[in-house]
Amino acid sequence: MNLNATLFAQFVVFIVLAIFTAKVVWPPLVKVLDERAKKIQEGLTAADRSKQEMIAVQKHVQSELAKAREEGQKRVQEAETRAQQIADDIKQDAENEAAEIIAQAKAQAELQIKQAREQLRAEVASLAVKGAEQILKREIDAKAHADLLNKLSAEL
């Protein structure tokens, strides 16, 4: 065997193997690698798109939370205002009721004072008549007696 022939045969086998690999084996491998690269690129694109959507959703959530906070604060403020208004109304009603009770008490006191005065006048008139009867030891006629009582009542 000759070294040149062996080297030549190995070269021919290598060339045949290289052509066979380039024609038969290499295209499916490249196709699979291209498909894999395409899937990876699509996955990265989808991940970027998802990331952008997530950022947009987070911004939306933040704005909704801010709106909810504002609305909550507004409702709390409205409730506080309403509570203050109710408290003021209750206070005003209590003051009105107290004034009414005081007015009634004053009117009742005035009425009692007036009744006491009238009663006192009647008693004083009665005592004056009794005293006058005892001093005079005689009886006054009814008409004169009524006139005298009216006169004494008017003076008191």
Side-chain angles (χ1 to χ4, degrees), residues 56-122:
V57 167
Q58 284 178 340
K59 286 181 182 178
H60 180 71
V61 166
Q62 291 297 329
S63 75
E64 289 297 320
L65 284 174
K67 286 179 185 177
R69 278 190 211 106
E70 288 175 13
E71 186 174 333
Q73 288 175 348
K74 182 179 177 183
R75 287 188 181 184
V76 166
Q77 192 174 29
E78 288 174 358
E80 287 175 352
T81 303
R82 181 69 178 137
Q84 184 63 38
Q85 183 180 10
I86 290 171
D88 290 344
D89 290 346
I90 290 171
K91 184 179 177 182
Q92 185 64 37
D93 290 346
E95 288 174 357
N96 291 343
E97 193 173 324
E100 193 174 304
I101 290 170
I102 290 170
Q104 287 176 354
K106 284 182 180 179
Q108 192 174 18
E110 289 292 326
L111 181 62
Q112 287 176 352
I113 290 170
K114 189 176 182 180
Q115 287 174 349
R117 283 184 183 164
E118 290 297 322
Q119 186 179 6
L120 185 61
R121 280 184 188 159

Side-chain angles (χ1 to χ4, degrees), residues 131-145:
E133 277 182 11
Q134 286 180 358
I135 292 174
L136 295 175
K137 295 285 183 186
R138 67 179 178 94
E139 193 168 316
I140 300 176
D141 67 48
K143 186 176 180 191
H145 186 0

Side-chain angles (χ1 to χ4, degrees), residues 10-33:
Q10 284 181 351
F11 181 72
V12 170
V13 170
F14 177 77
I15 295 290
V16 170
L17 184 62
I19 291 173
F20 176 77
T21 302
K23 295 283 184 183
V24 176
V25 175
W26 195 254
L29 283 176
V30 169
K31 183 178 176 184
V32 168
L33 289 175

